[in-house]
Amino acid sequence: MEEKIFKENTADAEGKVCPHCLHSTKERSEKEKRSMINRLSRIEGQVRGIRKMVENNAYCPEILIQVSAVNAALNSFNKVLLAEHIRSCVAEDIREGKEETIDELVLVLQKLMK
């Protein structure tokens, strides 16, 4: 059942979404979207920096430290996104009586904690 919930909330290769999906998109304010994109752009820059370090034969521990920084930045991004998801989508669905959203959240948390 868990896998079914996850698959129902995922678009297929053509971008079509199952008619029984809980959420297929999320409207975000321009401020929220800009903040997320800025964070991702910084992370993207960090990854490009790591690539250059590898290309330039940087010392392994220096690369590992930068990889750790990227992991921390991605984890921070996930925390912000998860908190916003719980405050908006999950809370709204629970108020509307959509208890299946809790199953979806549990599944997402299980995947994040692997």
Side-chain angles (χ1 to χ4, degrees), residues 45-62:
Q46 287 176 293
V47 172
R48 281 194 305 273
I50 293 169
R51 180 180 177 161
K52 285 187 181 194
M53 291 175 78
V54 171
E55 291 170 349
N56 295 329
N57 298 315
Y59 189 50
C60 297
E62 293 172 5

Side-chain angles (χ1 to χ4, degrees), residues 48-103:
R48 281 194 305 273
I50 293 169
R51 180 180 177 161
K52 285 187 181 194
M53 291 175 78
V54 171
E55 291 170 349
N56 295 329
N57 298 315
Y59 189 50
C60 297
E62 293 172 5
I63 296 171
L64 290 167
I65 289 168
Q66 292 307 310
V67 170
S68 178
V70 168
N71 282 332
L74 284 169
N75 283 334
S76 178
F77 180 86
N78 266 353
K79 289 176 191 175
V80 170
L81 183 58
L82 180 60
E84 177 57 28
H85 176 62
I86 292 169
R87 285 187 194 105
S88 60
C89 302
V90 174
E92 183 179 316
D93 281 357
I94 290 172
R95 281 191 291 272
E96 292 175 3
K98 297 178 183 175
E99 296 292 322
E100 62 273 12
T101 299
I102 295 169
D103 294 332

Side-chain angles (χ1 to χ4, degrees), residues 11-75:
D12 65 14
E14 297 173 3
K16 296 178 184 171
V17 179
C18 172
H20 305 292
C21 291
L22 298 173
H23 301 282
S24 58
T25 61
K26 161 82 165 87
E27 288 295 321
R28 292 182 175 85
S29 69
E30 280 304 312
K31 181 180 177 184
E32 181 183 6
K33 200 181 302 186
R34 196 173 335 107
S35 174
M36 292 174 72
I37 290 171
N38 286 342
R39 280 175 170 261
L40 291 171
S41 293
R42 282 193 301 274
I43 293 166
E44 192 175 25
Q46 287 176 293
V47 172
R48 281 194 305 273
I50 293 169
R51 180 180 177 161
K52 285 187 181 194
M53 291 175 78
V54 171
E55 291 170 349
N56 295 329
N57 298 315
Y59 189 50
C60 297
E62 293 172 5
I63 296 171
L64 290 167
I65 289 168
Q66 292 307 310
V67 170
S68 178
V70 168
N71 282 332
L74 284 169
N75 283 334

